[in-house]
Amino acid sequence: MAIQAKPTLKTIAQITGLGVSTVSRSLANAPEIKQSTKDRVRKVADEIGYRRNRAGVRLRTGKTYVISLVLPTESKALGNSSNFASGLSEALVGSPYHLIVTPHMTSEDPMDAIRYVVENETADAIVFTNTQPMDNRARYLLDRGLPFATHGQTGFKDTHCFYDFDNRAFCKDGVTWLANAGVDSVILIPPPRHMAYAQDCLQGWAEGIGQSSCSGEILKDVTLDSSQEEIVAAMTSRLKNGKETIGFIATSADVGISCFEAARRAGIKIGKEIHVVSKESHGLVQRICPAIKSVEEDFQAAGKGLGNMLLKQLADPSALPQSWIETPRF
């Protein structure tokens, strides 16, 4: 039985009647090639099962045509990662780039994974999450000149692509919504203080309290990094000890679900004796407790948006980096 030869650029050229060079540049999404020609070449390539020889491409161009998504392996962080990675992959469809995921243990230095990609030259660009105000990863990549994009802002945000959620507006508008619902006190379950968006949450919450008749409180001894049991226990204790009408602002969907569990343990009904505003990312909060006011943070859109920004940056390194801040919709 004859073994079918692996399709090559020459195979596509013979089928389309184009030159090998034109086929190669079409698959590389070269701007000088007409879109109709690119579409025709890619259609033929897909039909015959052509796959680029990336080792050969790297030898010829010095490019890997890889974008590395660096993700923490901690379970909470992975909760939204599938949607984020899916959106990022969607943005790369039709481009010469493909996505690889580079995991890093949360117990390790976040710089380790970044250094691995840079020092081993495994990608042409990096996307990373869980940003910090003066993020050493951003500083390092800027010094090395490797393009990158972040989910969340850094102190270097004017120099790189980023996509963020307006956490300040979420918390400020959340206080307003809870005040209108008639609560006496608004309790914030904050992100860890080292995270870039923590200050946005605290600022928005404080501004909302200042413009309302409610008192404000930060739940003691827990943050989003605490275990669900620790968060639920702290909430349950606070509900049992308080006589006023309480409102919670949950800065993640996981914490929103914890609010539901704490109310159940305390024998209190959400929407009557307490009120909750929570971020939503999978539709779970609404399914578990429709009485919670949920506000979606779209991780799929964030991934796709960052992917599109990064592709433009890679196509034109001299262009100003793009950014987008998602507005919460109450």
Side-chain angles (χ1 to χ4, degrees):
M1 180 177 178
I3 299 174
Q4 188 174 4
K6 183 178 179 181
T8 65
L9 293 176
K10 188 175 180 180
T11 309
I12 300 173
Q14 289 171 342
I15 295 172
T16 60
L18 299 169
V20 173
S21 176
T22 301
V23 169
S24 177
R25 285 180 290 140
S26 294
L27 291 173
N29 202 29
E32 70 273 12
I33 303 295
K34 292 180 180 180
Q35 188 59 48
S36 59
T37 301
K38 295 177 187 177
D39 293 342
R40 182 157 62 100
V41 168
R42 189 162 295 282
K43 183 174 183 296
V44 170
D46 290 342
E47 288 174 349
I48 66 175
Y50 170 77
R51 295 292 181 269
R52 302 182 79 189
N53 183 336
R54 295 191 178 275
V57 170
R58 183 167 183 176
L59 285 173
R60 293 193 304 272
T61 67
K63 295 175 69 68
T64 64
Y65 287 102
V66 168
I67 292 176
S68 177
L69 171 59
V70 178
L71 285 177
T73 57
E74 192 266 329
S75 59
K76 285 187 180 181
L78 288 173
N80 299 311
S81 296
S82 59
N83 284 345
F84 183 74
S86 175
L88 186 52
S89 297
E90 185 181 348
L92 302 185
V93 172
S95 81
Y97 290 89
H98 76 287
L99 185 69
I100 62 169
V101 175
T102 303
H104 78 83
M105 298 290 292
T106 50
S107 59
E108 298 173 345
D109 184 346
M111 282 294 301
D112 291 347
I114 301 294
R115 288 195 188 97
Y116 174 85
V117 174
V118 174
E119 292 173 4
N120 290 281
E121 300 179 344
T122 59
D124 295 332
I126 290 177
V127 177
F128 66 86
T129 63
N130 293 3
T131 55
Q132 300 179 17
M134 297 306 291
D135 204 300
N136 288 331
R137 295 170 294 179
R139 191 196 307 271
Y140 174 84
L141 291 169
L142 286 169
D143 288 344
R144 299 304 184 280
L146 188 72
F148 69 97
T150 62
H151 187 211
Q153 301 179 55
T154 74
F156 311 96
K157 62 184 181 182
D158 293 334
T159 62
H160 65 84
C161 300
F162 72 84
Y163 193 109
D164 201 6
F165 181 82
D166 194 338
N167 290 284
R168 175 177 167 272
F170 167 74
C171 289
K172 182 178 179 180
D173 293 347
V175 172
T176 300
W177 190 92
L178 291 168
N180 291 337
V183 306
D184 301 310
S185 180
V186 178
I187 299 176
L188 175 70
I189 301 92
R193 297 298 178 93
H194 68 276
M195 301 295 289
Y197 73 106
Q199 291 306 311
D200 292 332
C201 290
L202 290 165
Q203 182 181 354
W205 168 79
E207 288 176 358
I209 295 297
Q211 296 174 11
S212 74
S213 58
C214 304
S215 62
E217 180 182 336
I218 295 176
L219 196 64
K220 294 181 180 179
D221 302 323
V222 292
T223 70
L224 299 194
D225 272 2
S226 303
S227 70
Q228 187 174 39
E229 182 55 39
E230 289 171 331
I231 295 171
V232 170
M235 286 180 175
T236 305
S237 175
R238 180 63 182 83
L239 289 173
K240 287 181 176 178
N241 292 334
K243 295 181 179 180
E244 75 276 42
T245 304
I246 290 175
F248 283 109
I249 293 182
T251 50
S252 77
D254 285 344
V255 174
I257 294 170
S258 295
C259 289
F260 169 77
E261 176 60 19
R264 188 191 67 79
R265 292 186 187 183
I268 293 173
K269 288 188 177 181
I270 295 175
K272 292 186 177 181
E273 296 152 283
I274 68 167
H275 297 274
V276 178
V277 170
S278 174
K279 281 190 184 180
E280 176 73 278
S281 55
H282 291 90
L284 284 175
V285 176
Q286 270 293 289
R287 288 199 292 273
I288 290 173
C289 184
I292 292 177
K293 177 62 178 177
S294 61
V295 179
E296 184 181 12
E297 180 175 5
D298 194 336
F299 284 85
Q300 180 95 13
K304 186 174 182 179
L306 272 183
N308 287 328
M309 293 176 200
L310 199 49
L311 286 175
K312 291 179 180 178
Q313 193 72 40
L314 288 164
D316 183 7
S318 64
L320 292 174
Q322 296 181 309
S323 62
W324 184 260
I325 298 178
E326 180 183 351
T327 302
R329 291 174 291 180
F330 276 79

